[in-house]
Amino acid sequence: MAGKKKILIVDDERDIVRALTIRLQANGYRTVAAYDGVQGIFMAHKERPHLIILDIRMPAGDGFSVAEKLKESKRTKAIPIIFVTGSPERDSEEKARGLGVRYFIKKPYDPEELLDAVQRALETKSFHPPT
């Protein structure tokens, strides 16, 4: 069971944040939200979530730069990240894997696929990206 794991949702589209919040809370998770990259980094340090769901295309720091900054910080580097994005860039998924991102889910996403990815990312105790 999920217990009360805390998930940080970082996405500039408030409707997406709202939809994710409702779905995750209905499945027993606590959520916090940020609406741009800078706020996302701040909230990750402040809230110390168990997992971060991160959009790629946002103002004030795209998902890649946010993920890089989180991986550079001792306080946040072990937090698993799931990218949920509508980004059309072909190399986005490869770039995400290089940053140690656990899952890469394209919008529009299947809610069950996302919940499954969340559960699997939270079950993985430690993650070491390839060097």
Side-chain angles (χ1 to χ4, degrees):
M1 183 61 202
K4 280 292 183 182
K5 299 273 186 178
K6 187 189 303 182
I7 299 173
L8 171 60
I9 303 164
V10 186
D11 196 314
D12 61 317
E13 294 180 57
R14 290 182 183 266
D15 289 345
I16 302 251
V17 171
R18 195 173 303 113
L20 282 169
T21 297
I22 290 165
R23 183 158 305 275
L24 290 167
Q25 288 179 355
N27 283 273
Y29 299 103
R30 288 184 299 146
T31 60
V32 288
Y35 300 98
D36 65 42
V38 171
Q39 193 181 24
I41 293 166
F42 172 79
M43 291 297 284
H45 282 88
K46 178 178 179 264
E47 296 288 338
R48 304 292 295 273
H50 296 93
L51 174 72
I52 298 169
I53 295 176
L54 183 57
D55 187 22
I56 292 179
R57 292 166 55 177
M58 298 180 294
D62 70 11
F64 293 116
S65 64
V66 171
E68 280 175 23
K69 286 183 176 64
L70 293 172
K71 294 299 176 192
E72 287 168 5
S73 168
K74 280 187 169 66
R75 288 177 59 110
T76 57
K77 71 179 179 185
I79 301 170
I81 295 171
I82 295 175
F83 270 154
V84 177
T85 185
S87 174
E89 298 162 40
R90 288 177 187 252
D91 64 340
S92 293
E93 191 165 356
E94 197 175 310
K95 196 171 171 184
R97 298 256 181 252
L99 288 169
V101 170
R102 297 281 175 89
Y103 296 98
F104 189 94
I105 297 173
K106 291 194 166 97
K107 293 177 188 171
Y109 60 89
D110 173 353
E112 292 306 314
E113 178 192 5
L114 179 65
L115 284 172
D116 185 55
V118 165
Q119 189 174 357
R120 285 185 292 156
L122 288 168
E123 284 171 358
T124 308
K125 293 286 183 256
S126 63
F127 177 74
H128 302 285
T131 51

